[in-house]
Amino acid sequence: MKFNFLSLNRQSPVAKTKNLVTPNWHLAWGKIDQIKVDISWSDRHFLIHQAQPTFSSNERFVVVGDIFLTNLSQLQKLLDISTSLTDTQIVAELWQSYGVKTFLLLEGIFALAIWDTEEKELWIGRDRVGGRTLYYTATDSTIWISPRLKILSPYHSNDLDLIALRDYLCCAFVPGERTLWQEVKELRPGSFIRFTNDLKISSPMSYWQPQAQVKNADRPLEYHSKNLRSLLDKIIPEYLPNNQPVGAYLSGGLDSSCIVALAAKNHDYPVHTYSIHFGAELPNELEFSSLVAEHCKTQHHILEITPDDMWNKLPITMANLDDPIGDPLTVPNYLLGNLAAENVGVILNGEGGDPCFGGPKNKPMLLNNIYGGLQSGNPDIVSSYLSSFHKCFADLSKLLKPEIWEAVKTEPYIFESDLNSDADYLNRLMLLNIKFKGADHILTKVNNMTMAASLIGLSPLFDQRIVELSLEIPSEYKLSGADEKAVLKRAVADLLPEKILTRPKSGMMVPVNFWFRQKWQRRTKNLLLSKKAAIAPYFNQDLIKDWLNYRGDTWKRYGIKLWLLVSLEIWLQVNLQELRIKN
């Protein structure tokens, strides 16, 4: 079933966006004879747009990509290279010596492509945790590849993937290899594809997947916390820029606070920290973030974000995302990135602490497992997991139009195999958070919003080595009863005030429920209830009207659901403009 929202012939209320991040490269492979413009380099049935390639020393291999390696010194020793090479040059030399095994040698974040000029083969690959993205699609006899979904818009249909749409409504992001566009796929983290002369898209091959392999289960918490601290002390300096200040987002929670403390401890240049609040009349965490900033002697910056900021900057935020993300923190991430760009070129964050070390978002599932009688083979575990996102899963049959619901209701969810595995229950949840929420939501959001500000955004707690170590630590040291992330707290206990270590995690709560009721109701009605709305072919607008009038949701989570839909509508309208321009 296909639904083309370009056929609606409506006037968009969203102003044209400016200052978008320009994709830094894209590739064409296959039939390229008719392509004549914007070619940076070409060879037979392969060409590169908007980037100059890097060649191996024997000139056989051509490399292009977005690459940040944390193990450069080890790789230089492996290659017996004394001179300093760029990250891309290192990859070219590694491929010349080791071929596809190069992926196993790289540590860091990357999305890259290697062209073999002799065998006329193309390889594309993505880092282990998903710090960078890579998309691909086929049109006629040509494969198009890019780290940005938007650049592929001339080469795919205008039809939405209905399963991806359903999953977005459940999670606030699109999980797995699907994108919201039919026929466009995202290469999964830790995977590569080899394109050969038969001009077909081969199935992706995995070179790494996170696995729960608990080690030293009989050792005490102190043992595991020391191992974690040792690794943190090694990794954090690798993420700090040379001879320049560094920035860090600081909420005052454990994760961001420990990154700030470790950065301040290991950096000889100024550390700038950035916090937000939503007005003096609304709850905030400035007490805690200011305490950490003072404790670590950082140069602290505080940004107030108003409801008008949130609404007016949503179009530019959605334009700088690939797939839509219905997280209210997307706009604050964009605004804070622009503020940070005034002082620094690299910004760190604490993302990864919850997925790797058992944050409170896992508690509902754990309680359901204890008191709900869930068994690993029971299909209700999938429904329970999807409900734990607190989005629109329970509303799908009413929210989606009957023909849309009929098309997707029996399609399996990508989470099923992981939820029904034999791994420890908490580790199953953590693996899901790392593989999907981490790669498809958290890292993508942070990367794109920092790129939009011309910043390099880095997430040390999502480093592959931290991920691997976290999956070796017994579950009881990550989340046990009311004790959250005990192993991380113990690892950095000497660096932070006691008040930070003992405070319960509250999370940065954007007051969207309050603002929809007090500030945005009329604008939201005009946006979502119009017959010409981009979401109109898919959704029951009567139900949305009930939500806007605060009817029909027992738990009163209207704000989160409405933000989810507003983000999707804006994303569709922004992309509609792009498609009209390019087509």
Side-chain angles (χ1 to χ4, degrees):
M1 185 178 298
K2 295 185 177 181
F3 293 83
N4 189 330
F5 67 82
L6 285 182
S7 64
L8 295 177
N9 190 28
R10 64 183 177 281
Q11 294 294 318
S12 169
V14 178
K16 289 184 178 180
T17 52
K18 298 179 180 179
N19 303 320
L20 302 188
V21 175
T22 302
N24 51 1
W25 56 270
H26 59 288
L27 314 174
W29 175 83
K31 186 178 180 181
I32 62 172
D33 297 341
Q34 304 303 314
I35 303 171
K36 305 296 183 184
V37 297
D38 296 330
I39 298 174
S40 302
W41 187 87
S42 64
D43 177 29
R44 197 175 173 182
H45 48 256
F46 172 72
L47 59 82
I48 300 172
H49 291 267
Q50 299 185 11
Q52 291 301 316
T54 296
F55 293 85
S56 61
S57 56
N58 65 2
E59 298 189 351
R60 174 177 172 177
F61 301 104
V62 180
V63 180
V64 63
D66 183 6
I67 306 169
F68 173 85
L69 300 178
T70 57
N71 63 333
L72 271 178
S73 59
Q74 297 96 310
L75 296 176
Q76 288 172 341
K77 290 179 182 179
L78 180 65
L79 293 168
D80 194 22
I81 297 173
S82 57
T83 58
S84 177
L85 299 181
T86 67
D87 295 39
T88 308
Q89 288 170 328
I90 288 287
V91 171
E93 294 308 303
L94 286 169
W95 200 273
Q96 179 175 303
S97 299
Y98 297 97
V100 69
K101 292 181 180 178
T102 297
F103 289 122
L104 299 173
L105 301 173
L106 302 180
E107 294 180 359
I109 52 180
F110 57 83
L112 56 81
I114 301 101
W115 173 250
D116 185 336
T117 62
E118 290 186 9
E119 296 295 330
K120 306 303 180 186
E121 292 181 346
L122 175 65
W123 303 74
I124 62 172
R126 189 177 173 196
D127 67 80
R128 290 165 170 82
V129 295
R132 295 293 182 265
T133 49
L134 204 53
Y135 302 92
Y136 59 97
T137 190
T139 174
D140 298 325
S141 299
T142 306
I143 311 299
W144 294 90
I145 302 161
S146 176
R148 296 302 307 274
L149 185 57
K150 187 180 298 291
I151 201 66
L152 300 180
S153 58
Y155 314 117
H156 61 73
S157 75
N158 306 321
D159 304 314
L160 298 192
D161 184 314
L162 298 183
I163 297 174
L165 177 64
R166 176 203 66 181
D167 292 351
Y168 168 82
L169 295 172
C170 296
C171 307
F173 60 91
V174 179
E177 69 174 4
R178 293 181 183 275
T179 70
L180 208 55
W181 300 115
Q182 282 189 22
E183 302 164 5
V184 185
K185 292 185 177 181
E186 179 182 352
L187 184 65
R188 300 306 299 151
S191 300
F192 64 87
I193 298 178
R194 175 193 179 198
F195 299 91
T196 58
N197 282 320
D198 59 8
L199 301 184
K200 295 180 181 178
I201 299 180
S202 303
S203 297
M205 301 285 290
S206 175
Y207 69 89
W208 183 88
Q209 288 295 319
Q211 295 182 352
Q213 296 178 328
V214 175
K215 297 181 179 179
N216 297 299
D218 59 334
R219 304 299 293 270
L221 173 62
E222 188 67 26
Y223 169 85
H224 294 282
S225 65
K226 284 183 177 179
N227 283 345
L228 176 57
R229 176 58 179 274
S230 177
L231 187 56
L232 287 168
D233 283 336
K234 175 186 177 182
I235 285 175
I236 296 302
E238 298 173 353
Y239 282 79
L240 300 173
N242 293 325
N243 305 320
Q244 58 182 289
V246 67
Y249 295 146
L250 178 59
S251 69
L254 174 66
D255 306 335
S256 63
S257 298
C258 81
I259 293 299
V260 168
L262 287 161
K265 174 178 177 287
N266 288 282
H267 205 42
D268 294 329
Y269 290 80
V271 176
H272 292 262
T273 48
Y274 301 88
S275 300
I276 60 173
H277 71 104
F278 301 103
E281 74 281 7
L282 294 169
N284 63 68
E285 296 185 296
L286 295 183
E287 171 192 355
F288 302 104
S289 59
S290 298
L291 173 63
V292 174
E294 182 179 358
H295 180 80
C296 297
K297 296 179 172 55
T298 71
Q299 297 184 25
H300 195 44
H301 311 262
I302 298 172
L303 177 66
E304 178 179 346
I305 297 176
T306 69
D308 284 342
D309 292 332
M310 287 286 292
W311 189 271
N312 294 335
K313 294 301 182 181
L314 185 56
I316 186 66
T317 301
M318 288 297 110
N320 276 293
L321 289 172
D322 292 300
D323 270 323
I325 294 176
D327 178 354
L329 281 173
T330 51
V331 176
N333 281 157
Y334 173 79
L335 295 172
L336 206 55
N338 281 279
L339 175 62
E342 298 175 6
N343 308 111
V344 299
V346 175
I347 189 84
L348 307 180
N349 61 74
E351 302 287 8
D354 283 351
C356 290
F357 299 106
K361 289 185 175 64
N362 290 304
K363 283 185 176 179
M365 282 294 287
L366 292 174
L367 291 172
N368 202 7
N369 186 44
I370 295 171
Y371 298 109
L374 292 174
Q375 302 298 322
S376 62
N378 191 326
D380 285 345
I381 195 174
V382 177
S383 297
S384 179
Y385 180 72
L386 292 167
S387 298
S388 72
F389 282 94
H390 300 308
K391 300 302 187 294
C392 298
F393 171 69
D395 307 297
L396 290 178
S397 63
K398 296 178 292 183
L399 178 60
L400 293 172
K401 287 193 170 182
E403 64 272 23
I404 307 294
W405 175 237
E406 191 65 29
V408 302
K409 67 180 182 180
T410 60
E411 294 292 333
Y413 287 90
I414 194 170
F415 311 113
E416 290 185 7
S417 60
D418 289 281
L419 281 170
N420 291 305
S421 75
D422 295 329
D424 170 88
Y425 190 76
L426 177 59
N427 280 333
R428 272 185 266 168
L429 301 179
M430 290 174 54
L431 281 168
L432 280 170
N433 292 339
I434 292 166
K435 289 171 62 174
F436 297 110
K437 187 173 177 119
D440 298 321
H441 173 188
I442 298 172
L443 290 173
T444 298
K445 177 191 67 175
V446 169
N447 182 45
N448 285 36
M449 293 303 97
T450 51
M451 284 178 60
S454 300
L455 285 172
I456 298 173
L458 300 174
S459 307
L461 292 181
F462 259 125
D463 186 281
Q464 68 184 65
R465 294 161 290 179
I466 296 290
V467 171
E468 289 171 337
L469 180 62
S470 74
L471 293 171
E472 296 175 359
I473 298 172
S475 296
E476 61 266 27
Y477 298 145
K478 289 179 281 193
L479 180 59
S480 179
D483 193 9
E484 303 160 4
K485 294 183 274 194
V487 66
L488 181 58
K489 290 177 183 176
R490 183 70 65 88
V492 297
D494 62 312
L495 298 175
L496 294 171
E498 181 69 18
K499 194 171 185 179
I500 301 299
L501 296 169
T502 56
R503 64 167 295 210
K505 181 180 175 67
S506 60
M508 181 58 66
M509 300 300 294
V510 186
V512 290
N513 204 49
F514 175 74
W515 284 340
F516 273 113
R517 183 186 287 271
Q518 299 293 329
K519 304 286 186 180
W520 297 339
Q521 192 172 50
R522 178 176 295 179
R523 283 181 283 188
T524 307
K525 285 181 178 179
N526 293 336
L527 186 70
L528 298 183
L529 300 184
S530 168
K531 293 180 180 179
K532 295 182 178 180
I535 62 170
Y538 311 98
F539 297 155
N540 172 12
Q541 289 173 303
D542 288 337
L543 180 63
I544 299 172
K545 185 177 181 179
D546 285 343
W547 290 353
L548 278 164
N549 292 320
Y550 286 75
R551 296 193 303 262
D553 185 344
T554 304
W555 299 103
K556 308 287 186 189
R557 295 193 179 100
Y558 305 99
I560 293 298
K561 294 178 180 181
L562 290 170
W563 183 265
L564 191 76
L565 298 182
V566 166
S567 297
L568 176 63
E569 174 68 22
I570 297 294
W571 185 90
L572 287 172
Q573 291 192 18
V574 167
N575 280 274
L576 170 61
Q577 291 176 350
E578 294 289 325
L579 288 164
R580 282 175 170 164
I581 292 170
K582 293 180 179 180
N583 295 324

